[in-house]
């Protein structure tokens, strides 16, 4: 979640599948993420001609005869600021692939191994959500579940609003239907302004630390501050150092222009819909507070789940299995 305390603050009936090309160009990141067994780094070309990185990991065939022919929705993961597809590939892609899901983690433009667009920022809520929609439309045959972290969660909220509101108006929409959404430590629908003011008035020391860490990017050089911002206190330093280097290399340009982003918020309200949403927070989140988590839950009319013993980067933290297990139980419930 970049610069938290910066106050200026018709889908075609027939889906065309465009093959993904395996990336063979030199790494854009000087500290590349080494893929794990079963993972492939591929490139999806957007209508603009720019390419986004996708790390995919296909499902492991279930040994349970009752689940062998079961079609589970693919999972599409969207990262937040200072991250890229690799943050999901470390733990959660292997976990969910082993649980029978095809997994796809995208790197938004200007992040990870994806191309950088012209200009000074990577995009907007609209353009990032549109890029995710383009990937889904051209490559997936089943409606996926979208999972977004931090500002990636806000992008998914915008995606949901576009689907629902355009459908209500009987408009053609380029946003394919989805099977559900999981918002992980997500920026709330109103953006980060409420978080900003609460920190300034109730936790001034924490406000200074978060501003220094994110707005001034001090997390890139200060190991203890990086740990406090993103991870649990019990996280081993050598892991924090590794992720610190990957985060530093992941973002060649800001994910958003925060002034324009805040001016475009809150996310449009969502008419009553059948899209199931899981709002998931972390008890030890140094960035998104309990009130921010509650706001997101209220917006979707669901009770948020707050996971004990994990921090903001739930998918990388030392107890990453806790959040993954909650999501897996929720995904199992989608079939009922």
């Amino acid at each position: 979640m970049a610069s938290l305390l910066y106050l200026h603050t018709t889908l075609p009936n027939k889906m065309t599948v465009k093959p993904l090309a395996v990336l063979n160009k030199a790494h854009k990141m000087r500290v590349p993420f080494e893929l794990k067994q079963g993972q492939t780094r591929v490139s999806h070309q957007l209508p603009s001609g720019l390419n986004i990185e996708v790390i995919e990991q296909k499902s492991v065939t279930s040994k349970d005869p009752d689940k062998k022919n079961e079609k589970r929705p693919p999972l599409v993961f969207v990262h937040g600021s200072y991250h890229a597809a690799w943050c999901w590939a470390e733990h959660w892609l292997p976990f969910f692939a082993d649980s029978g899901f095809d997994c796809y983690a995208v790197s938004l433009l200007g992040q990870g191994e994806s191309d950088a667009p012209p200009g000074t920022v990577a995009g907007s809520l609209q353009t990032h959500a549109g890029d995710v929609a383009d990937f889904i439309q051209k490559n997936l045959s089943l409606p996926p579940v979208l999972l977004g972290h931090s500002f990636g969660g806000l992008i998914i909220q915008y995606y949901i609003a576009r689907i629902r509101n355009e459908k209500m108006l009987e408009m053609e929409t380029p946003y394919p239907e989805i099977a559900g959404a999981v918002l992980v430590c997500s920026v709330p629908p109103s953006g980060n302004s409420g978080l900003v003011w609460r920190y300034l008035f109730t936790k001034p020391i924490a406000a200074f630390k978060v501003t220094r860490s994110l707005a001034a990017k001090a997390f890139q050089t200060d190991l203890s501050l990086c740990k406090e911002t993103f991870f649990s206190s019990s996280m081993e330093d050598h892991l924090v150092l590794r992720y610190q280097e990957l985060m530093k290399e992941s973002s060649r340009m800001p994910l958003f222009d925060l002034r324009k982003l805040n001016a475009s918020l809150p996310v449009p309200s969502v008419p009553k819909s059948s899209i199931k949403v899981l709002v998931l927070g972390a008890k030890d989140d140094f960035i998104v507070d309990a009130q921010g988590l509650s706001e997101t839950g209220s917006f979707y009319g669901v009770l948020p789940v707050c996971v004990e013993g994990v921090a903001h980067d739930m998918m990388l933290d030392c107890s990453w299995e806790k959040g993954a297990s909650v999501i897996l139980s929720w995904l199992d419930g989608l079939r009922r």
Side-chain angles (χ1 to χ4, degrees):
M1 174 179 173
S3 307
L4 175 70
L5 300 185
Y6 194 94
L7 280 174
H8 297 294
T9 49
T10 4
L11 183 62
N13 292 326
K14 185 176 180 180
M15 185 172 292
T16 57
V17 178
K18 184 173 185 177
L20 297 173
V22 176
L23 285 170
N24 55 14
K25 54 189 174 183
H27 283 291
K28 290 184 174 68
M29 290 168 60
R30 289 172 296 177
V31 182
F33 175 80
E34 298 299 329
L35 300 181
K36 298 182 177 297
Q37 185 176 359
Q39 295 178 350
T40 307
R41 181 181 281 112
V42 296
S43 177
H44 171 70
Q45 187 174 63
L46 299 169
S48 65
L50 296 173
N51 294 291
I52 57 171
E53 172 194 26
V54 181
I55 298 178
E56 63 176 34
Q57 187 163 3
K58 296 301 179 66
S59 64
V60 175
T61 304
S62 177
K63 295 177 183 177
D64 184 343
D66 294 331
K67 295 183 178 180
K68 209 159 194 179
N69 298 317
E70 181 182 17
K71 280 287 186 183
R72 311 202 78 173
L75 308 182
V76 177
F77 297 81
V78 183
H79 64 83
S81 295
Y82 302 125
H83 292 67
W86 62 265
C87 73
W88 307 104
E90 180 78 341
H91 299 299
W92 281 17
L93 260 59
F95 176 87
F96 288 107
D98 284 346
S99 300
F101 295 91
D102 289 341
C103 299
Y104 305 87
V106 302
S107 290
L108 300 168
L109 285 176
Q111 323 298 307
E113 306 293 341
S114 293
D115 291 340
T120 58
V121 296
S124 64
L125 277 182
Q126 294 87 342
T127 62
H128 289 312
D131 292 345
V132 173
D134 186 74
F135 168 75
I136 293 170
Q137 182 179 330
K138 293 177 179 173
N139 296 286
L140 303 184
S141 59
L142 292 174
V145 172
L146 299 184
L147 299 91
H149 175 249
S150 199
F151 266 122
L154 194 63
I155 291 169
I156 289 174
Q157 292 175 49
Y158 178 82
Y159 188 113
I160 293 171
R162 284 292 301 267
I163 292 176
R164 295 299 94 193
N165 287 299
E166 289 175 6
K167 196 166 185 179
M168 288 286 290
L169 295 171
E170 297 183 347
M171 295 171 59
E172 270 192 318
T173 174
Y175 288 73
E177 288 286 350
I178 60 175
V182 181
L183 306 176
V184 182
C185 300
S186 176
V187 175
S190 63
N192 60 357
S193 297
L195 301 173
V196 168
W197 287 108
R198 287 194 294 276
Y199 267 71
L200 287 173
F201 286 106
T202 63
K203 302 176 182 177
I205 295 176
F208 171 77
K209 285 183 175 181
V210 176
T211 302
R212 180 169 172 265
S213 180
L214 298 176
K217 300 183 182 179
F219 80 87
Q220 295 182 349
T221 53
D222 187 327
L223 191 68
S224 64
L225 188 58
C226 183
K227 178 187 282 191
E228 189 171 7
T229 304
F230 297 106
F231 305 108
S232 297
S233 58
S234 56
M235 187 82 159
E236 295 179 18
D237 282 353
H238 73 94
L239 290 174
V240 178
L241 181 62
R242 177 169 174 249
Y243 298 145
Q244 180 187 44
E245 289 298 312
L246 285 166
M247 284 190 279
K248 183 178 178 180
E249 290 296 319
S250 289
S251 182
R252 302 187 301 285
M253 60 201 314
L255 200 56
F256 301 106
D257 179 325
L258 290 181
R259 287 187 182 90
K260 292 181 179 178
L261 174 65
N262 286 332
S264 71
L265 295 172
V267 170
S269 61
V270 183
K272 186 178 171 87
S273 74
S274 60
I275 294 178
K276 302 293 186 183
V277 178
L278 170 63
V279 177
L280 192 64
K283 182 69 173 177
D284 301 328
D285 197 329
F286 193 63
I287 297 176
V288 179
D289 62 5
Q291 196 168 331
L293 179 65
S294 179
E295 178 193 329
T296 306
S298 297
F299 187 79
Y300 291 101
V302 299
L303 189 65
V305 178
C306 191
V307 183
E308 299 277 348
V310 289
H312 185 68
D313 271 19
M314 186 186 297
M315 63 286 186
L316 291 171
D317 213 8
C318 45
S319 295
W320 61 266
E321 303 100 328
K322 292 182 177 180
S325 297
V326 172
I327 295 171
L328 181 59
S329 295
W330 181 83
L331 289 169
D332 286 339
L334 285 180
R335 296 172 295 153
R336 300 189 188 113

